[in-house]
Structure formats: structure tokens, C-alpha cells
Amino acid sequence: DQQVKQNSPSLSVQEGRISILNCDYTNSMFDYFLWYKKYPAEGPTFLISISSIKDKNEDGRFTVFLNKSAKHLSLHIVPSQPGDSAVYFCAASAWMQGAQKLVFGQGTRLTINP
Amino acid sequence: NAGVMQNPRHLVRRRGQEARLRCSPMKGHSHVYWYRQLPEEGLKFMVYLQKENIIDESGMPKERFSAEFPKEGPSILRIQQVVRGDSAAYFCASSPGGAGYEQYFGPGTRLTVT
């Protein structure tokens, strides 16, 4: 039962253009959403988050959009840079059985082409 | 302010041996989470601990796996009698606690069972 899904395993974008990474979830209990970035042989790095009471959060080149009715969120990176090439994980948070839990998607490998 | 520390970074064990993975959370963080990532998959939650307490171990296999977070010292994930299927990257994350807090990840331990 995949509660958080990233349906695109990979994405290739030209440098300077916009990268859009998508994520869908099924559990209405999720109340906080996060994006992590991961380079090979390193741990995931927190990138940006959004509370379920908001529909947009922006931090520099990164913007996360949340559509609660569609249970969908997206991460926009603009302009895309070569250093953005990494695997991006979407994660959703909820209190379950007395503890905060993060549920991760499978990840999307983003490649920025010069 | 040091980040989350994990050691060893790489661990090779033969089938039937024990594997011990260590995690030191960020300073000031009292919540520790362990995740496992199999090749080409996302991160799967294993266990959530606070100092001296296991809060949620619903993601941990019932046999051979155990975790602790003592009052003093790092958190330990212990795998007894390892099998080839245990080969994976194991990530530890820490947070100051509470719903909505981001989790900060260590660099991971890559376990290889031969």
C-alpha cells in the first residue's frame, strides 16, 4: 500500500528551465509535507516543506504547491542548475499511533542538462 | 553544529553474523528514526525512538532486528544473523520532536551481506 507516490522515476530538464516534480498521496491524515534531495552515497537533505493549511511555500528557487482536494503536491525549481541533479523524495507526515511518521515516495531522479 | 553522524559508513558481514549500526543525533535532538533503503526504492520507516524509549517499531521486522537509544551514547540498530536480503542502505534521522518538525538525516550505513 503505497501512501505516497512519485510516478516519474526520472526527469531530464535543460539548464535554466523549470523543473517540476510531482507527488500524490492517499491518506487524508497527512498534515505536513516535505521534499528531500539526495546525492549518491549521502543522506537525504531537507529542502522545503509545507503545512496542510497552506497551498504554497517559496524559498529562493524552490516552490512547493499543495492541492489538498487532489491530494497532490509539486516542487518547482526555477531556474534549474546542474547542481540540482539528484534524487528528490517527497515525504508526508502524520501522527499515527502516538508518533509522528514520515512516509516517503519512491523518489524521482532529476538530471539537469547543460 | 555537527549534523547527524552514522558509523560505520560501510559494513560488510557474512551471512549469520551480527551487524551493529550507530547513530548520533544532532545536538539538542532527542528523537531518532531509522530507515532502510533498498536499491531503486524509497526510504522505508523502521523504528522511532526517544531517549531510552521505543515509540514506534511498526516498520521493523519482528525477528533479528532490534534498536535502542540509551540515555548516554548513540542509538544502535542491531541486526542478528544477517541474510543477503538485509543488504541495503540504513539511514538514521533526528529531530527535536513534535509534529511537523523536519527530520535531518545522517549519511547512512551501507550494509553488504556476502
Side-chain angles (χ1 to χ4, degrees):
Chain A
D1 177 25
Q2 191 70 30
Q3 297 187 66
V4 178
K5 289 183 183 177
Q6 292 176 256
N7 291 317
S8 298
S10 63
L11 177 67
S12 189
V13 173
Q14 205 71 22
E15 182 180 358
R17 299 286 185 101
I18 184 170
S19 295
I20 300 176
L21 295 96
N22 294 303
C23 178
D24 297 295
Y25 62 96
T26 57
N27 192 336
S28 302
M29 297 290 290
F30 291 136
D31 58 4
Y32 200 76
F33 302 89
L34 307 91
W35 284 94
Y36 284 83
K37 175 181 179 179
K38 186 182 181 303
Y39 293 119
E42 294 185 14
T45 303
F46 169 72
L47 199 55
I48 191 169
S49 62
I50 187 167
S51 165
S52 60
I53 63 173
K54 295 187 175 182
D55 54 19
K56 177 182 173 181
N57 187 26
E58 191 172 350
D59 183 3
R61 297 185 298 114
F62 302 91
T63 304
V64 56
F65 295 92
L66 176 62
N67 182 335
K68 280 185 69 177
S69 60
K71 293 191 175 67
H72 176 85
L73 68 155
S74 61
L75 174 69
H76 292 211
I77 307 172
V78 56
S80 300
Q81 299 174 355
D84 296 330
S85 295
V87 177
Y88 289 78
F89 290 99
C90 163
S93 172
W95 280 100
M96 300 180 194
Q97 290 126 13
Q100 181 216 14
K101 280 185 129 166
L102 271 188
V103 180
F104 284 83
Q106 310 95 306
T108 297
R109 183 178 302 278
L110 175 65
T111 302
I112 306 300
N113 301 308
Chain B
N1 184 17
V4 178
M5 311 281 282
Q6 286 187 255
N7 67 81
R9 292 294 309 275
H10 300 274
L11 183 61
V12 179
R13 285 287 177 266
R14 290 185 177 165
R15 277 182 298 170
Q17 290 185 319
E18 178 180 288
R20 282 191 176 226
L21 289 64
R22 293 174 186 77
C23 169
S24 296
M26 284 180 71
K27 188 176 180 181
H29 288 191
S30 58
H31 298 245
V32 166
Y33 308 80
W34 285 93
Y35 294 86
R36 176 165 64 176
Q37 184 183 23
L38 295 169
E40 304 304 321
E41 292 189 15
L43 292 94
K44 301 291 186 188
F45 168 80
M46 298 182 74
V47 62
Y48 164 37
L49 310 101
Q50 294 181 30
K51 281 287 186 182
E52 300 184 274
N53 288 307
I54 296 175
I55 306 302
D56 181 359
E57 56 182 346
S58 59
M60 202 144 74
K62 295 285 185 278
E63 297 180 354
R64 304 188 297 109
F65 285 72
S66 62
E68 62 178 14
F69 189 15
K71 188 176 179 181
E72 301 290 338
S75 175
I76 307 283
L77 178 67
R78 183 180 174 205
I79 312 172
Q80 294 178 291
Q81 299 172 348
V82 296
V83 301
R84 287 228 172 97
D86 296 333
S87 295
Y90 292 82
F91 292 97
C92 166
S94 73
S95 78
Y101 279 97
E102 298 84 16
Q103 294 178 17
Y104 295 87
F105 283 79
T109 294
R110 185 162 298 278
L111 172 65
T112 303
V113 179
T114 62

